[in-house]
Amino acid sequence: MFGFAGRIFSGRISGKIVDAAAKATYLKKIAAEHGWSLNEIVSVGDGANDIEMSKVAGLAIGFRPKKILHDYIVGAFDHHEQLSDFLIGSR
C-alpha cells in the first residue's frame, strides 16, 4: 500500500507486497478457516499476478484482464455493473 503523511503521498510503501503466491495462499487460508471447498471460491483478477489465485479458485473471472490471464479464467467483464450483476444477480 502507498504510504501517506497526512493527505500527501510520502513516496514510500507501507505494508506487505502481495504477490501471486500470497494471493493463492490467502484464498486457501480463507477457505480452510470457513470450511469452504476451493470449488466454492470465486476469484476476480486482471493480470499475471492473479494466475496462481485463478488456478486455486473454483471459478476464476477476469475484470478487464490482460491477455496473459485469459487461459486461466472462464469469462471476463469490462464494467463493474456487469461483474456485480453476474456475482449477485440483476438489480
Side-chain angles (χ1 to χ4, degrees):
M1 176 170 356
F2 295 119
F4 289 86
R7 295 182 58 172
I8 309 245
F9 176 59
S10 69
R12 297 176 189 225
I13 303 294
S14 65
K16 295 180 180 180
I17 304 267
V18 179
D19 63 8
K23 289 181 177 188
T25 298
Y26 186 70
L27 282 185
K28 291 175 188 175
K29 178 183 176 207
I30 293 297
E33 286 176 358
H34 292 279
W36 300 331
S37 160
L38 289 173
N39 286 331
E40 297 175 280
I41 301 295
V42 176
S43 71
V44 179
D46 68 347
N49 66 336
D50 298 313
I51 291 173
E52 295 306 313
M53 171 179 74
S54 298
K55 289 179 184 177
V56 169
L59 178 64
I61 300 168
F63 184 73
R64 297 183 184 159
K66 295 168 186 73
K67 283 187 174 187
I68 195 162
L69 190 59
H70 285 202
D71 288 342
Y72 303 95
I73 58 176
V74 297
F77 298 95
D78 290 322
H79 302 287
H80 289 102
E81 295 82 9
Q82 294 171 320
L83 180 58
S84 65
D85 286 349
F86 176 79
L87 293 174
I88 61 175
S90 297
R91 295 172 243 205

